[in-house]
Amino acid sequence: MLGGVGQPRTLDPAALGDHLDRLFRAAWALCGRREDAEDLVQDTYARVLARPRLLRRDDDLAYLLRVLRNTHVSRIRAAAARPRTAEWAAEHDPPASRSDVTPEGRLEASALFRAISQLPDDFRDALVAIDVAGLSYGEAARALEVPEATITTRLHRARKRVADDLRGADVTPSARVTPVPGGKDGAR
Amino acid sequence: MDDPTSTDPIGAMIAATAATIAAPAALRAGVQREQDGVRRRRRRGRLFGGGLV
């Protein structure tokens, strides 16, 4: 997959769909909300596929992750310039589309991604690259354009903060919300 | 290739939870449409505007 340092190669549009699941997970962890993640991924692919791309250092996923993060930052800046709307409570989010995910799994994923999205940007980006998207330290360092040692430090701190946050919010399976059958709002 | 999540329990938990998530069907269809658009443009011989990244 890696083209090797100094060996440019053209990004293959047909192969980009292979990374969709991992990119969506990363987007959700960046945004904290599933709906925003869908928009972000769609925008990212539209940008990447708008014209041919020549990669010099990254593999496809690392490149996509970098575009995803940059697109996310651009969207945040644009949103900051617009009137803010009220936050939609997370418990009103519709259930995930994957049928083999348990209700417990969905609640934990939502809580986890929300916690990750609230990390300081540098910590969040390192954790998303490594733990959510599955990049190696080297790939993450190239994607984020920082030394590997920096990735290691930020990752360690990010993981600790996420663990502390989740522990404090008590989102263990015993604390899960029981869906109300037949209810219109909040039904899962 | 190194595996940063294999020895850290928090990293492993995050990775395992993330792995349960799949992209929604609507998103997958949208990305497929983008890719189909690229194929159509190539078949028509239209070069994309601008230079390469």
Side-chain angles (χ1 to χ4, degrees), chain A residues 13 21 25 52-54 136-137, chain B residues 2 18 21 23 28 35 48 53:
Chain A
D21 284 343
R25 297 163 192 163
R53 303 291 177 179
L54 191 66
S136 67
Y137 282 125
Chain B
D2 54 338
I21 301 302
R28 193 168 294 277
Q35 291 174 301
F48 300 107
V53 174

Side-chain angles (χ1 to χ4, degrees), chain A residues 1 5 9 23 30 35 43-44 60 67 69 78 81 89 92 94-95 111-112 114 127 133 155 162 173 176 184:
Chain A
M1 268 200 148
V5 175
R9 62 177 180 85
L23 211 64
L30 288 178
E35 290 76 13
D43 283 352
T44 298
D60 289 4
V67 177
R69 186 191 56 144
H92 294 156
L112 173 64
R114 199 176 315 125
L127 188 142
L155 179 65
V162 167
R176 65 181 180 274
K184 183 177 180 183

